[in-house]
Amino acid sequence: WQSKEVKLPVANQFPTIEKTQVYLVNKSKAKQSVVTVGQLGMPYDATGEYFKANIMNYSLGGSFSSRVNLNLREDKGYTYGSRSGFYGDKFAGTYQVSASVRATATDSSITEIMKEINNYVKMGIKDDELNFTKNSLISSDALKYETIGQKANFLSRLVKFNLPSDYVAKQSEVLKKMSKTDVNATAQKLLNPEKMVIVVVGDKEKLKKKLDALGYGKVKEIYVD
């Protein structure tokens, strides 16, 4: 088996998002809507900005007791669950908030998601949320390498991203040093609710007028073959 040079095609640049826009994919008679709110993120890195971004996001939408989930699930009863996070590989990344919600609560769910993002950016994380984030992530880390599959994924990540064998220990140090100021600065730098993409998959007849009225301009429809 002779090796040969492999040249990857150059990826096209993503279009610039000028302002938040709602896109609708029609699913006639759907009883639920799938809502995704997001923006471009960054490539994966184990201990840098990408890792810090997910620490920042943990209290916003990264855990069951996060603001977004407690709002949409526990308080409003719109969904069984909602999460958010930064997702990246070696080349690019995204930030996404996602939820499957009652069709009748689609527009309200978007309003609440955007409210939580805006509040988090403007007001920042609370002291008890930062303490919970650190305690939760530190205590859960030990459970990530118990099974054979988890160990295989760990080894695969080492090879795929050319990571040092002690990167987990370095992550722990980064987490412990993250201050309230660090978290708030990261949120303000990386989350831009004024320039996000909102994608809704649901019943056009029931949703379009309500989505048009959200204040993000006229909804753009996406047609899927």
Side-chain angles (χ1 to χ4, degrees):
W1 184 18
Q2 298 297 318
S3 64
K4 64 179 181 180
E5 183 181 2
V6 176
K7 292 185 178 180
L8 296 175
V10 178
N12 294 327
Q13 287 191 343
F14 291 98
T16 301
I17 305 300
E18 299 296 338
K19 62 179 181 178
T20 297
Q21 175 67 53
V22 180
Y23 295 86
L24 175 61
V25 180
N26 183 43
K27 183 68 175 177
S28 297
K29 299 180 180 180
K31 302 298 182 183
Q32 286 188 324
S33 298
V34 178
V35 176
T36 303
V37 178
Q39 62 179 63
L40 288 177
M42 70 215 77
Y44 173 91
D45 73 68
T47 57
E49 190 170 67
Y50 177 90
F51 179 66
K52 293 176 182 178
N54 275 309
I55 296 174
M56 173 273 292
N57 173 73
Y58 195 76
S59 288
L60 175 60
S63 72
F64 184 83
S65 59
S66 66
R67 294 187 187 188
V68 172
N69 193 58
L70 290 181
N71 185 336
L72 268 63
R73 174 190 162 100
E74 301 299 313
D75 185 43
K76 304 297 190 307
Y78 293 159
T79 179
Y80 286 116
S82 178
R83 292 291 178 95
S84 67
F86 287 84
Y87 308 93
D89 56 23
K90 290 192 289 186
F91 308 104
T94 61
Y95 174 73
Q96 299 177 36
V97 186
S98 59
S100 295
V101 303
R102 296 199 324 264
T104 55
T106 304
D107 56 325
S108 300
S109 298
I110 294 172
T111 297
E112 294 302 317
I113 289 171
M114 297 305 291
K115 182 186 76 174
E116 293 297 349
I117 296 173
N118 272 291
N119 286 344
Y120 201 69
V121 171
K122 293 176 182 177
M123 306 301 293
I125 193 172
K126 299 176 182 177
D127 291 328
D128 60 331
E129 290 176 324
L130 180 57
N131 290 333
F132 174 78
T133 294
K134 291 188 175 185
N135 291 334
S136 180
L137 291 177
I138 289 172
S139 61
S140 65
D141 193 59
L143 304 177
K144 294 180 180 179
Y145 313 101
E146 291 186 321
T147 68
I148 294 176
Q150 288 173 320
K151 290 180 173 66
N153 286 335
F154 171 73
L155 294 174
S156 174
R157 195 156 50 248
L158 289 178
V159 175
K160 181 178 181 179
F161 296 106
N162 193 29
L163 300 175
S165 58
D166 64 343
Y167 86 91
V168 174
K170 293 180 179 178
Q171 286 183 331
S172 180
E173 290 303 312
V174 172
L175 174 59
K176 291 175 182 177
K177 292 178 180 178
M178 283 282 284
S179 67
K180 190 175 180 179
T181 300
D182 294 332
V183 171
N184 293 342
T186 301
Q188 291 169 6
K189 178 182 179 181
L190 299 180
L191 298 179
N192 191 347
E194 301 299 321
K195 296 182 179 181
M196 289 191 168
V197 172
I198 302 171
V199 179
V200 178
V201 181
D203 191 333
K204 171 184 172 180
E205 290 188 10
K206 296 178 180 178
L207 299 178
K208 192 170 186 305
K209 288 184 178 179
K210 292 182 178 180
L211 296 177
D212 280 334
L214 284 173
Y216 300 113
K218 187 176 181 179
V219 171
K220 294 184 179 181
E221 295 184 53
I222 299 175
Y223 299 94
V224 180
D225 295 332

